[in-house]
Amino acid sequence: MKNSRLLVLDDESMVCDFIDQVATGDGFDVVTTLEPNEFASSYRSHEPDVIILDLKISGHDGIEQLRFLATNECQASILLISGMDGRVLNTARRLGATQGLRMTKTLPKPFGPNELRSALDDARGLTLSGSGRNGSSRNSLAKMKVYGTPRKSSPPSQPVSEDELRRAIEQQELVLHYQPKVDLRCGRVLGAEALVRWRHHRRGLIMPDAFIPLAEETGLIKSLTRFVTKRALEQCAAWTAEGMQLSVAVNISAPNLSDLTFADEMAELVSGCGLAGHQLILEVTESEAMSDPVRTMDVLSRLRLNGIELAIDDFGTGFSSLAELRNMPFSEIKIDKSFVIDSMVDKEARVFVRSIIELGRDLGLTVVAEGVENEEIWRLLVSLGCDVAQGYYIARPMDAEEWTNWIKDWKSRNLVSSTG
């Protein structure tokens, strides 16, 4: 019987040697490569039946290889391995399936010979059976209807123009305000959400509802997002230099999630500011995340592989599905402020908030409650086991100059025990 052919991509030579030894003993002809740039040529020359693919490879990621395999209508069974978070590993597996690839088990590192043999046997069986081609899954996801209503904003009394907005970005008329995020258990300041404002030379301070839709319609949202993210990361780096270990959260839009270069760009911005990936949290609403599920999974997975945290924003107001939440590699879930505010007077809202907190806990997500307006809401959230609070009871959005005085005042307040 002809041996099955195995192709391995992993940048650790010891891992490649280990897989080679086990797989050869299990009847595979094995080719290994340490270089992502050599993967395509190795794939074409070896014509593998099974592929083992590491998701994180010395400055690259396996999402690019999955995209290459899907484009080339790969029929091999694909086994993903990684030392990354299991949610990221599973999201990448689902992403491959939606692209029509034969995805088999995932193997978290480190793994032993018995685990590897079992995974290889499953993969070889899938290849020989010819089953598991997931085109139907891909098509059903691509055709899913988004039932949530996207956020809408009322037009300003004096509509701004595309040229004005482009000039505002280029001339840095946009400014950031920061709203703190605080640990509900001890009051420690964890970070801030960066909120963009436009300091117009004639109209004064313009709020984002007046220009974000225009930015999305005209394609300026990409340069706007880059500006906001870079400025927020620079401020985070300044706080870090002052001894404050904080994160910054930035809102992103659906057009960002359709850009396959977006993950690399964000990683470069983080690195350029001398920060760790987890110090940047990108927030996306449910409806935006589901505007193109396959492309979104690709981009979000690559962001997480670069260590960047992801939050699903305004949870409960858009397209809600446990299946979709499970498919996306979010690390944080934000409860929409309307439910949080109503939870003090509306039993159904309180049940909804409790359910989201329990869901987040079961999925291993950090749960953030927006709209914490008073001490009563704070105490209710503590009793429900929520992780993080954000709202006017803590502070309104403020500029960077106000932040230093605010954080000193927050630490001195007797309302909570603060150590941040």
Side-chain angles (χ1 to χ4, degrees), residues 41 50 137 167 203 216 246 302 306 320 386 399 401 409:
S41 59
V50 178
S137 172
R167 186 165 54 251
R203 305 180 199 178
E216 292 176 334
L246 303 173
R302 297 194 66 213
N306 282 297
S320 301
C386 189
D399 62 31
E401 292 181 3
D409 178 66

Side-chain angles (χ1 to χ4, degrees), residues 158-417:
Q158 293 179 294
V160 295
S161 69
E162 179 181 350
D163 287 341
E164 282 183 296
L165 181 55
R166 180 179 289 105
R167 186 165 54 251
I169 298 171
E170 293 172 352
Q171 297 181 1
Q172 301 187 8
E173 294 179 7
L174 303 177
V175 296
L176 299 189
H177 286 187
Y178 301 90
Q179 187 170 36
K181 297 167 66 177
V182 174
D183 190 321
L184 273 161
R185 290 174 287 265
C186 65
R188 183 167 64 92
V189 181
L190 301 174
E193 180 177 356
L195 302 164
V196 65
R197 310 286 189 252
W198 181 354
R199 199 181 301 281
H200 197 278
H201 60 284
R202 290 196 318 273
R203 305 180 199 178
L205 200 64
I206 301 178
M207 302 304 283
D209 280 356
F211 59 88
I212 294 297
L214 174 65
E216 292 176 334
E217 292 167 8
T218 59
L220 288 173
I221 192 64
K222 295 183 179 180
S223 56
L224 176 59
T225 301
R226 179 180 177 83
F227 174 88
V228 171
T229 305
K230 186 173 186 293
R231 184 60 56 87
L233 288 170
E234 288 170 346
Q235 183 57 60
C236 187
W239 286 333
T240 300
E242 294 172 14
M244 292 182 279
Q245 296 300 313
L246 303 173
S247 63
V248 287
V250 174
N251 292 280
I252 59 175
S253 299
N256 299 129
L257 298 176
S258 65
D259 182 359
L260 294 177
T261 67
F262 182 68
D264 291 332
E265 184 176 9
M266 293 296 102
E268 289 172 4
L269 288 177
V270 172
S271 175
C273 290
L275 298 174
H278 66 82
Q279 290 181 272
L280 174 62
I281 303 171
L282 297 178
E283 299 187 2
V284 57
T285 64
E286 295 172 81
S287 56
E288 288 168 336
M290 293 310 300
S291 61
D292 183 348
V294 176
R295 183 65 66 94
T296 296
M297 274 197 285
D298 185 310
V299 175
L300 294 184
S301 297
R302 297 194 66 213
L303 287 165
R304 289 289 284 124
L305 286 168
N306 282 297
I308 294 169
E309 303 292 331
L310 299 171
I312 184 165
D313 198 13
D314 298 339
F315 187 75
T317 62
F319 183 95
S320 301
S321 165
L322 288 180
E324 272 59 66
L325 181 59
R326 183 176 71 93
N327 284 341
M328 301 294 183
F330 291 107
S331 50
E332 183 177 290
I333 184 170
K334 300 189 75 173
I335 310 174
D336 184 69
K337 64 181 179 181
S338 62
F339 299 109
V340 175
I341 293 171
D342 289 348
S343 64
M344 293 303 302
V345 295
D346 186 328
K347 180 180 177 181
E348 291 183 354
R350 188 159 58 252
V351 170
F352 191 78
V353 170
R354 180 188 294 114
S355 298
I356 295 176
I357 293 170
E358 291 175 353
L359 171 65
R361 183 187 304 119
D362 290 344
L363 291 176
L365 305 176
T366 298
V367 182
V368 180
E370 298 182 286
V372 180
E373 306 272 303
N374 53 50
E375 186 176 353
E376 288 73 26
I377 295 178
W378 175 289
R379 295 191 184 281
L380 172 64
L381 291 168
V382 170
S383 71
L384 295 177
C386 189
D387 300 308
V388 180
Q390 181 179 344
Y392 287 176
Y393 175 62
I394 302 160
R396 291 176 178 268
M398 68 193 86
D399 62 31
E401 292 181 3
E402 297 174 278
W403 180 274
T404 301
N405 291 331
W406 170 82
I407 201 168
K408 290 178 181 177
D409 178 66
W410 175 256
K411 291 180 180 181
S412 67
R413 291 169 63 180
N414 295 320
L415 296 174
V416 293
S417 171

Side-chain angles (χ1 to χ4, degrees), residues 110-153:
F111 48 83
N114 291 335
E115 295 168 292
L116 178 58
R117 288 191 189 97
S118 175
L120 286 171
D121 287 344
D122 288 346
R124 178 160 47 191
L126 181 62
T127 300
L128 293 174
S129 70
S131 63
R133 186 76 176 163
N134 291 297
S136 60
S137 172
R138 172 180 57 188
N139 293 337
S140 62
L141 264 175
K143 294 178 181 177
M144 292 176 81
K145 180 179 179 182
V146 179
Y147 291 97
T149 302
R151 290 178 295 175
K152 294 181 179 179
S153 58

